[in-house]
Amino acid sequence: MNTDATPRVTVVIAVHNRAQELPTAMASVFAQTTPHWRLLVVDDGSTDESAEVARRHQYDERVHVLSLRANVGLGNALQAALEHIHTPYFVTLDSDDWFAPTALEELLAAMDASSPDAVLVSANAQHWREEGSRLVRDHVLFGRPFADKFDFFRYGPYLVPRFYRTEAVRRVGGFERDPAGQGRVYEDKLILLKLAAVGRFLHVDRVLYHVRLHSANLTRPEERARLNAIKKAMYERMMREWGNPYEIVWKTHPEGWLDVADLVPRASAGAQDRRTH
């Protein structure tokens, strides 16, 4: 590990109306086993006290607050943050989630032990569900490494934490305001698909991230058709940009979510269609 006191990672928390949950997220950054970090809180046009909560911590010179005048959505808020990141790495933390104490230390160690073509590190995530005023332990999401960009393309679950090489994110154009999601939906999938085309994803097989499950982060059934259409357009766009070597075979889960079932080489796509209908 590099023991230099100069911060090498910026933690980015984009927050919109999460004044109650934000202190837990921020506290988990202060509790890290390495003290050499910057924290950038982006207030995405909150109408509650989220910005004030963040500013209370500016007594620490490692903490910075960027306030956006209007709510622009997570992807657009992260793109605004990118201009203020001056460290070789950054990691995103949702404003209602929190890190394990060793998260930054272990993610940095994984990058340090790898080659420069590593552009992202993720880990495993413990989920917690709200039961009244208590948080109850739920399932663990286990991530994995990927053989190539098409292996990741097939992967359905999300990746957390997302620990980025800053230069690589800038190289692929950052968190764009894409035509499908408008920077508000699937911004995480889009940046990861773009990064998968230029470098390797690493995985630390440890629980380094904690996810809070509550009604606000559960999508309403009536929204699923719209979100599925956005995801389909985004994935088809990326496949075209990669030269369209595969036909995407889609599947719909029982709960209504659209996902990639398979990738069929173009020459045999017609035969696959005949077998599945």
Side-chain angles (χ1 to χ4, degrees), residues 72 179 183 244 263:
V72 296
N244 244 0
L263 297 178

Side-chain angles (χ1 to χ4, degrees), residues 121-137:
V121 188
S122 64
N124 303 330
Q126 174 69 59
H127 288 69
W128 300 81
R129 68 180 185 276
E130 292 184 344
E131 290 190 358
S133 60
R134 298 188 308 127
L135 285 175
V136 178
R137 192 181 298 269

Side-chain angles (χ1 to χ4, degrees), residues 28-74:
S28 78
V29 180
F30 281 89
Q32 289 299 296
T33 52
T34 174
H36 307 313
W37 43 260
R38 294 180 74 247
L39 173 58
L40 175 60
V41 180
V42 184
D43 175 48
D44 185 17
S46 295
T47 55
D48 68 357
E49 297 182 351
S50 294
E52 289 77 4
V53 169
R55 291 192 188 102
R56 289 172 198 158
H57 295 80
Q58 285 187 304
Y59 64 85
D60 190 312
E61 63 182 10
R62 297 172 297 178
V63 178
H64 307 268
V65 179
L66 174 64
S67 292
L68 306 181
R69 292 184 177 180
N71 174 244
V72 296
L74 181 54

